[in-house]
Amino acid sequence: MAYRSVKTYGAERGLSCAYRQWAADSHCQLLHGYSLGFVFDFAAEQLDARGWVVDFGKAGFGAIREWLHHMFDHTLLVAADDPSRVEFERLQRLGLAQVRIVPGVSAEALAAHVFEHAQTLVDAATKGRCWVASVECREHGANAAVFENPNSVLRQVSAEALNLALKGL
């Protein structure tokens, strides 16, 4: 059995950023902003010495919190393949924007991007004991996307099989 814990880092935290879906056939191709929220689902086969899956304080989630603010607090997200990327980068050089180049700006792409970074940070903080099962990216109350760790189910099933084997079942 895997233990799970959930950390919600909601829109009220002030991760206000702007971006555009340059390939959209709608008003979404224009710059617009959101106060993004994220929901992290963490899992571990074993709890730490305090009985936690992951420390939500400075020693655990703190590195993720700092990275979230660096990436999404008063920033302009630009998709790596945006044909106007050079113009947005010029805004940064002029001191008019904090530009962050990301693989994509859809909620789906942002959930996957955040997952990749959170997984690396959690793996380092817990020495591999804990993993990120999923990350949800919320644009607002009506729009969200979830990226699920493809290894999470396999790891959980492996842990359950090991526990059954240890019990002699």
Side-chain angles (χ1 to χ4, degrees), residues 16 80 104-106 129 136 141 152 154 163 169:
S16 299
V105 293
S106 66
R129 181 187 55 78
E136 177 179 315
S152 188
L154 178 61
N163 284 334
L169 299 176

Side-chain angles (χ1 to χ4, degrees), residues 77 96 100 136 144 148 162:
L77 306 180
L96 298 174
R100 303 292 185 259
E136 177 179 315
E148 293 187 357
L162 178 61

